[in-house]
């Protein structure tokens, strides 16, 4: 393959991967963040203690985390069809990606929130702050460095999941690597794909580290 | 100002019951600084946290500023708490906010609007001497400065009562004194009633008007400090003026306020006795000078001399003589209970 043939393929696939990751990161945060908060506040001695709910959420999260992504991806195909209308393409792959990453992120959110000292929560209670105020103005801001670090790890995991999603028609760099690198022995393209993937991971990790470090400095 | 009665708190910890407070009455008068002393695990923090109901009492009632908190529902209780300040041993400041942001937090909780908030924050930081640190993050402050922020934050709601759980325990002695001086000043200038928990005798000595000693979930003694000192066998006195365990036949005299009068020398001149001073401690406590002297008295008029001392208002405690314990025949005698 010539460079002129490869370039448009690479650009298109990179954009698809970026789209997949951005969308699935968005939904992962929308689902995983409240789930992580719920895991903390419903625990014994939490702000909204509810042992039953806590146990149910814990089991759901553990199921989500114990399924290998490749299995989860296939298992949720009916759900994907229901939500997106199709099981093929970048948008369709957002469903399994989100379902795979959200429980993972929820656990990281839980860990980050548990790092916030009990005395800070109690100080806020002593001021007469409501429980939602404590979540929004104490727990989340105080855990922000940990949340950003957790999000970084999650996005890196999503990048690797997205390459797998490519294998079942999700498009993106993973799909490119399989179709050209694996099936047609286009070694050059394969190598470039790998380099692009590494670059994206490095970029995300560095960005995450910088932000987390700035937040943690206080 | 703070009235706690019949307070009990039982924790259930994995099926086991821990009685942290076992029936406590506490009365803190308006405008006073009240110190609670006690060993680790005595239930001091639990008591304090029951006052603003961070901990729900198992039984008993708590009233602050005439309002019975134990009757209030959640939202009324939240409003009542806005008028009760609290400071903490490890400051409990939000590291994600600046100094000004921390002081503004309770004002946000109260729904104070932005311009007014900024004005109040500036005023409060001025009050605690941190006007120049408004934009700094807590991580860049010394321990003493952090506690000043904690105090400014606690005062945001114009509280009538301030609760303090070991607020100076994490500070060095010099910083401790400056924080205590600040608390005393706020007590005087704002009429702030302060209930504080401490294990440092120094805190009691320097700023408290009244004190209570807790042990195993109970209050052993409590009241105005000069009165406590004048009480026979007081644990507070023993802790304030530590003397070695009394030897048989020795006499311990405790005085509050009479330190300026030459009582002992007058006694020696009036009666036929010899005095041997074995030990003594003299301190300024709750604004009066008070102290204890350990004496060995010998001579024909020993009994009359001791009566003279107690008539002059001194507390006289006589350790029983080894051979003839209980036979001394002196009515003012009571056994000194020493605390190791
Ligand atoms: N949340 C809790 N669950 C179970 N037991 C508790 C809890 N909080 C306190 N206790 C127990 O209650 C008793 C009193 O504790 P508290 O913290 O009030 O003591 P303290 O006098 O403040 O001690 P220290 O000087 O060490 O702070 C202790 O035996 C403690 O183990
Ligand atoms: Mg304590």
């Amino acid at each position: 393959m010539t460079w002129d043939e490869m370039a448009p393929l690479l650009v298109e696939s990179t954009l698809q991967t970026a789209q997949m990751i951005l969308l699935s990161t968005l939904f992962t945060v929308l689902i995983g963040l409240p789930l992580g908060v719920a895991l903390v506040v419903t625990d014994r001695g939490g702000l909204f203690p509810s042992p039953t709910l806590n146990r149910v959420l814990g089991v759901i999260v553990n199921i989500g985390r114990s399924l290998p992504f490749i299995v989860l991806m296939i298992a949720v195909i009916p759900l994907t069809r229901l939500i997106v209308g199709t099981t093929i393409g970048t948008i369709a792959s957002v469903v399994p990606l989100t379902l795979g990453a959200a429980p993972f992120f929820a656990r990281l959110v839980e860990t980050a929130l548990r790092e916030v000292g009990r005395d800070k929560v109690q100080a806020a209670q002593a001021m007469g702050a409501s429980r939602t105020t404590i979540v929004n103005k104490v727990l989340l801001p105080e855990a922000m460095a940990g949340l950003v670090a957790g999000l970084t790890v999650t996005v890196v995991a999503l990048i690797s999941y997205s390459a797998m999603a490519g294998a079942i028609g999700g498009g993106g760099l993973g799909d490119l690597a399989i179709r050209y690198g694996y099936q047609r022995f286009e070694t050059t393209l394969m190598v470039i794909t790998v380099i692009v993937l590494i670059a994206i991971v490095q970029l995300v990790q560095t960005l995450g580290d910088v932000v987390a470090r700035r937040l943690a400095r206080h | 100002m703070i009235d706690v009665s019949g307070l009990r708190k039982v924790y259930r910890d994995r099926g086991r019951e821990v009685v942290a407070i076992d029936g406590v009455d506490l009365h803190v008068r308006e405008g006073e600084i009240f110190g609670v002393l006690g060993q680790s695990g005595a239930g001091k923090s639990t008591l304090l946290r029951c006052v603003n109901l961070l901990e729900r009492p198992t039984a008993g009632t708590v009233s602050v500023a005439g309002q019975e908190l134990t009757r209030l529902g959640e939202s009324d209780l939240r409003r009542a708490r806005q008028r009760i300040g609290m400071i903490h041993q490890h400051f409990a400041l939000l590291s994600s906010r600046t100094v000004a942001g921390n002081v503004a937090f309770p004002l946000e909780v109260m729904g104070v609007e932005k311009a007014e908030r900024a004005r109040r924050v500036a005023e409060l930081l001025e009050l605690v001497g941190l006007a120049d640190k408004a934009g700094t993050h807590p991580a860049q402050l010394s321990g003493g400065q952090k506690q000043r922020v904690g105090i400014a934050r606690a005062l945001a709601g114009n509280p009538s009562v301030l609760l303090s759980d070991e607020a100076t325990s994490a500070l060095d002695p010099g910083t401790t004194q400056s924080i205590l001086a600040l608390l005393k000043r706020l007590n005087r200038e704002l009429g702030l009633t302060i209930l504080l928990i401490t294990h440092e005798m120094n805190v009691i000595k320097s700023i408290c008007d009244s004190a209570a000693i807790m042990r195993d979930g109970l209050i052993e003694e409590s009241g105005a400090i000069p009165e406590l000192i004048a009480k026979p066998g007081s644990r507070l006195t023993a802790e304030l003026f530590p003397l070695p365990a009394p030897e048989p036949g020795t006499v311990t005299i405790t005085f509050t306020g009479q330190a300026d009068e030459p009582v002992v020398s007058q006694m020696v001149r009036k009666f036929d006795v010899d005095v041997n001073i074995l030990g003594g401690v003299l301190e300024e406590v709750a604004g009066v000078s008070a102290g204890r002297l350990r004496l060995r008295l010998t001579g024909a008029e020993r009994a009359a001399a001791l009566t003279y001392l107690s008539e002059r208002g001194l507390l006289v405690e006589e350790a029983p003589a080894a051979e003839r314990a209980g036979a001394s025949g002196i009515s003012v005698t009571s056994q000194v209970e020493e605390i190791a």
Side-chain angles (χ1 to χ4, degrees), chain A residues 1-2 5-6 177 179-193:
Chain A
M1 264 176 117
T2 64
E5 286 169 322
M6 282 190 290
R179 276 191 291 134
Y180 290 83
Y182 180 67
Q183 288 164 356
R184 298 189 203 169
F185 306 105
E186 291 286 352
T187 313
T188 317
L189 187 69
M190 183 78 170
V191 169
I192 295 174
T193 310

Side-chain angles (χ1 to χ4, degrees), chain A residues 44 119-120 122-131 133-134 137-138 141-142 215 217-218, chain B residues 49 52 54 74 78 81-82 84 86 88 92-96 105-106 108-109 137 139 153:
Chain A
R44 214 166 53 96
D119 62 338
K120 293 180 184 177
Q122 278 191 356
Q125 281 174 321
M127 284 172 214
S130 69
R131 296 182 287 184
T133 303
I134 293 174
K137 294 200 166 191
V138 179
E142 287 295 296
L215 289 167
R217 209 163 33 201
H218 301 312
Chain B
R49 286 140 44 94
N52 60 1
L54 281 182
E74 178 168 328
R78 280 211 312 272
R81 278 180 182 155
Q82 293 171 2
I84 304 174
M86 192 175 198
H88 312 262
L93 301 177
L94 301 182
S95 42
S96 55
F105 184 36
E108 289 169 28
V109 168
H137 276 269
R153 180 176 71 174

Side-chain angles (χ1 to χ4, degrees), chain A residues 129-214:
Chain A
S130 69
R131 296 182 287 184
T132 34
T133 303
I134 293 174
V135 171
N136 293 327
K137 294 200 166 191
V138 179
L139 284 182
L140 291 174
E142 287 295 296
M144 201 47 85
L147 293 176
V148 169
L151 185 63
T152 308
V153 174
T154 306
V155 174
V156 169
L158 272 172
I159 294 169
S160 113
Y161 290 170
S162 79
M164 265 190 264
I168 60 157
L173 289 165
D175 181 41
L176 187 70
I178 289 164
R179 276 191 291 134
Y180 290 83
Y182 180 67
Q183 288 164 356
R184 298 189 203 169
F185 306 105
E186 291 286 352
T187 313
T188 317
L189 187 69
M190 183 78 170
V191 169
I192 295 174
T193 310
V194 168
I195 290 170
V196 173
L197 279 171
I198 291 174
I200 295 176
V201 169
Q202 287 295 340
L203 184 75
V204 167
Q205 188 66 52
T206 308
L207 197 70
D209 286 349
V210 168
V211 175
R213 212 172 314 121
R214 289 193 109 176

Side-chain angles (χ1 to χ4, degrees), chain A residues 6-7 42-43 61 64 94 97 114 141 155 160 169 192 218:
Chain A
M6 282 190 290
T42 59
D43 200 5
V61 166
V94 170
L97 284 175
R114 285 195 196 284
V155 174
S160 113
I192 295 174
H218 301 312

Side-chain angles (χ1 to χ4, degrees), chain B residues 154-313:
Chain B
L155 296 177
N158 281 319
S160 50
V161 168
L162 181 71
L163 307 176
S164 159
D165 192 351
E166 305 268 13
T168 57
S169 300
L171 305 175
D172 63 66
T175 314
T176 294
Q177 283 312 324
S178 81
I179 294 294
L180 293 179
L182 174 61
L183 290 177
K184 186 83 209 173
R185 201 185 94 213
L186 296 171
N187 164 255
R188 265 202 316 266
E189 289 175 6
L190 310 176
L192 191 65
T193 306
I194 302 178
L195 173 58
L196 63 84
I197 301 277
T198 185
H199 63 261
E200 298 166 300
M201 233 33 230
N202 164 43
V203 173
I204 303 280
K205 277 180 204 164
S206 356
I207 61 168
C208 291
D209 304 303
S210 297
I213 296 190
M214 274 193 92
R215 185 175 189 153
D216 296 337
L218 288 168
I219 287 189
E220 285 198 328
E221 55 186 74
S222 106
I225 290 176
E227 285 164 30
L228 285 181
I229 293 176
K231 238 173 47 187
S234 161
R235 262 193 69 190
L236 182 77
T237 312
E239 302 238 5
L240 278 173
F241 313 109
L243 287 174
E247 284 172 44
T250 58
V251 172
T252 308
I253 62 174
T254 307
F255 46 91
T256 41
Q258 307 97 331
D260 306 331
E261 295 171 47
V263 187
V264 173
S265 93
Q266 283 170 1
M267 171 191 76
V268 174
R269 220 170 299 145
K270 272 196 161 83
F271 301 91
D272 177 15
V273 283
D274 284 311
V275 176
N276 191 7
I277 298 178
L278 304 173
V281 192
L282 179 68
E283 299 253 23
E284 185 89 10
V285 180
V288 297
S289 56
R292 286 209 302 170
L293 275 181
R294 176 72 46 76
L295 309 173
R296 190 180 291 284
L297 244 74
T298 48
E301 294 183 306
R302 184 174 189 272
L306 290 178
T307 311
Y308 169 77
L309 288 182
S310 55
E311 276 166 1
R312 296 295 303 268

